[in-house]
Amino acid sequence: YTTLFRSRALSIARRTPGAGFPKIAISGRASALTQLRRFSEAHQLIELGLTYARQHRYLGYQVDMLAAAGDLARAEGNAQLAMSSYLQAAGLAREIHFNRGLAEVDAQLASLYELAGNLFEAEKFARECVETHRQLGEVYELPHHLAIEANLEAASGDVTSAARTFNTAEQIVGTMLVNSPSPSVKRAVVSAMSEIFVSHFELSVRQRDLTRAYDVIEEARGRVTADRLWAEGDGRVPRKPAQITASERKLALLQLKLLDTTNEQDREALSDSIVDAENELSIPNHPEIENARWTRPKLSDLQRSLAGDETLLEYVLGDDASYCLVISATETKSVRLAPKKAIKTLVDRFLQAIKKDGDAKSDGRMLYSTVLTPVLHVRNTSKVIVIPDGALYQVPFAALTDDSNKYLVESHVISYAPSGTVFTLLRSRMPNVPYREKLARNDWYARSKQC
């Protein structure tokens, strides 16, 4: 449909005197034809657009058409020609301070140089892309490109800079969560930015800093669900419009400062100020947590809430590899698992077998051997708390079978939690009451199941 409407626009422009050159229609149709792999037609349109742009010295349009030429060459598998086109586009974009066009071609150049193994050049263009988006004030684009820069820094061995860059990206995501009007919107933001948290988690695991790895993943998954637990009604105290306006203006100014600053200490201070400003806008009604809204429990708090015969399994699914944090009262270990796609395939097969009312034990064994056997070899325990991720949210772990054809529920007591943060909060509500009685009496537990 996009190609059809672009064709109609070009046709109307050709037969309408004074309509001018249809720049937007040509560049848009060239992009659509490239995606449809109709390369010959795309070449013709790009040449037409470049010829016009050069004749009239329209440098901005030249940037667009050279970028389109780069996209086309890349789609055809010609990396050298793509790189040449993008470099020409970048040079012209810098000349006329066309930041949006520069950011787009910088991202492509960073990717191409990374594929070519030239991490130095890849980092250079990734940094320029980040800085350009920062100048544009595009808060929703910036975290993604910061994550690309951080991954390149990690690949080149500069893990300290990579961790610092990931922290910056996560702080900016935090400002997005502050302005999100509901838990569902917050979940959407976290989901869209999941690559940042998973990549930072993997970096922390490679550095054997499991405390940091836990903090990173819980910042993503624990915050949204804990918000919902904390909320009474819509979670907000009625205020006068003038009070809301003043608080929101203060929050917006702090967010702009955070976006502009490149100093790590300044970012930390601004992040703290943003938290305070958020609390002014959204004060919980519940007296027990009035002074602890953003005091997220740490890994040590979680461990103190676990009994000696309990083990918490927190899964993190990634494109290249997945992981499980195996957490007990006395230690934390990380287990590397199959990639996300492989696990999802096994989950789908298992669920399909269940739906067909057939014998799902064989598929259950395969899934068990993939996501549980490596974990339980690290620490075999009688009570397991599962924090799933991705496709694993659909899995009834109790129904998985081991090599001896026994269901997991026959050998373990199994429970679930949405995050380590929420689990710790629930356990800490009534510290002097036995655990089973806590669950019976605690309305927070009922809310967690709804989440």
Side-chain angles (χ1 to χ4, degrees):
Y1 285 112
T2 300
T3 307
L4 174 64
F5 285 120
R6 301 287 187 185
S7 297
R8 289 179 60 187
L10 290 171
S11 177
I12 292 170
R14 278 194 294 267
R15 62 175 189 265
T16 304
F21 189 78
K23 296 180 289 186
I24 296 175
I26 283 180
S27 59
R29 180 168 166 79
S31 176
L33 289 170
T34 297
Q35 293 178 56
L36 291 170
R37 303 189 69 79
R38 290 162 59 178
F39 297 145
S40 178
E41 295 171 76
H43 271 293
Q44 293 176 12
L45 277 178
I46 289 169
E47 282 303 316
L48 176 65
L50 273 174
T51 299
Y52 176 84
R54 286 166 176 160
Q55 286 176 347
H56 293 82
R57 291 286 299 164
Y58 290 158
L59 298 187
Y61 188 42
Q62 284 185 54
V63 172
D64 290 338
M65 297 314 299
L66 285 167
D71 294 343
L72 175 58
R74 193 166 186 183
E76 291 179 308
N78 191 335
Q80 283 298 118
L81 180 58
M83 199 175 289
S84 174
S85 297
Y86 289 137
L87 286 170
Q88 291 181 62
L92 286 174
R94 289 189 204 96
E95 183 181 334
I96 61 174
H97 305 290
F98 180 17
N99 284 345
R100 188 171 301 283
L102 180 59
E104 291 173 4
V105 294
D106 275 346
Q108 296 292 341
L109 285 166
S111 174
L112 283 171
Y113 276 113
E114 182 183 13
L115 289 172
N118 189 338
L119 296 181
F120 178 82
E121 287 296 317
E123 279 188 59
K124 182 182 79 174
F125 284 106
R127 277 193 293 270
E128 184 177 53
C129 181
V130 165
E131 183 55 35
T132 304
H133 277 295
R134 196 189 300 276
Q135 292 174 14
L136 288 167
E138 294 183 328
V139 66
Y140 288 99
E141 291 285 342
L142 194 52
H144 166 71
H145 292 287
L146 280 164
I148 292 173
E149 181 183 351
N151 281 320
L152 287 168
E153 289 169 339
S156 64
D158 190 358
V159 293
T160 301
S161 294
R164 189 161 51 240
T165 305
F166 276 128
N167 284 335
T168 303
E170 288 159 12
Q171 286 168 339
I172 293 172
V173 173
T175 69
M176 298 181 196
L177 296 178
V178 168
N179 278 341
S180 299
S182 68
S184 61
V185 174
K186 289 188 178 186
R187 282 195 296 273
V189 170
V190 170
S191 176
M193 304 293 175
S194 63
E195 61 176 324
I196 300 165
F197 297 98
V198 172
S199 295
H200 194 185
F201 173 88
E202 290 176 336
L203 176 64
S204 300
V205 169
R206 289 199 301 271
Q207 293 180 284
R208 295 183 173 84
D209 187 352
L210 298 187
T211 299
R212 181 59 186 156
Y214 175 83
D215 285 342
V216 167
I217 208 64
E218 281 298 315
E219 181 64 24
R221 67 172 53 147
R223 179 173 181 170
V224 175
T225 314
D227 273 359
R228 180 128 178 219
L229 285 173
W230 276 322
E232 288 284 339
D234 67 351
R236 295 178 183 272
V237 175
R239 290 177 300 278
K240 296 178 182 179
Q243 183 183 351
I244 296 174
T245 302
S247 298
E248 289 179 342
R249 187 183 300 115
K250 176 182 175 181
L251 182 58
L253 289 172
L254 287 169
Q255 289 173 324
L256 287 173
K257 287 181 180 179
L258 179 63
L259 192 62
D260 289 338
T261 186
T262 57
N263 182 279
E264 187 174 9
Q265 290 182 336
D266 289 345
R267 279 200 308 271
E268 292 289 345
L270 284 167
S271 294
D272 291 340
S273 299
I274 285 171
V275 167
D276 293 338
E278 180 182 14
N279 285 336
E280 290 178 16
L281 277 171
S282 182
I283 303 172
N285 288 331
H286 203 293
E288 291 184 11
I289 55 168
E290 190 168 281
N291 297 319
R293 178 173 174 81
W294 295 119
T295 305
R296 182 170 54 77
K298 300 296 183 182
L299 176 59
S300 57
D301 299 317
L302 168 61
Q303 289 180 298
R304 279 192 293 271
S305 72
L306 290 169
D309 59 349
E310 290 180 319
T311 300
L312 185 140
L313 308 179
E314 179 149 16
Y315 288 92
V316 179
L317 304 191
D319 292 333
D320 298 324
S322 300
Y323 299 86
C324 181
L325 288 181
V326 184
I327 305 171
S328 70
T330 57
E331 63 179 351
T332 300
K333 293 185 178 180
S334 170
V335 179
R336 185 182 173 99
L337 302 172
K340 175 170 59 178
K341 186 176 180 181
I343 290 175
K344 186 179 186 306
T345 299
L346 293 174
V347 169
D348 290 343
R349 286 171 54 181
F350 176 59
L351 296 178
Q352 282 299 319
I354 292 175
K355 289 176 183 177
K356 291 178 181 177
D357 294 326
D359 183 5
K361 279 192 171 183
S362 175
D363 294 306
R365 268 196 306 275
M366 292 181 66
L367 187 54
Y368 187 110
S369 67
T370 301
V371 301
L372 279 173
T373 297
V375 173
L376 296 179
H377 277 170
V378 170
R379 178 178 168 81
N380 203 349
T381 183
S382 60
K383 296 178 182 177
V384 173
I385 300 110
V386 177
I387 298 177
D389 188 27
L392 293 178
Y393 273 107
Q394 305 172 69
V395 175
F397 277 73
L400 300 181
T401 48
D402 62 16
D403 290 336
S404 61
N405 221 29
K406 287 185 177 180
Y407 291 109
L408 181 64
V409 72
E410 295 182 66
S411 56
H412 295 77
V413 176
I414 307 151
S415 56
Y416 301 85
S419 71
T421 298
V422 171
F423 177 83
T424 309
L425 287 171
L426 294 175
R427 281 282 177 97
S428 65
R429 283 304 101 197
M430 289 175 281
N432 297 321
V433 179
Y435 177 51
R436 291 183 184 279
E437 192 177 340
K438 286 181 189 179
L439 298 188
R441 290 170 49 183
N442 200 346
D443 68 327
W444 296 83
Y445 176 69
R447 293 186 204 177
S448 75
K449 292 195 293 184
Q450 295 173 2
C451 295

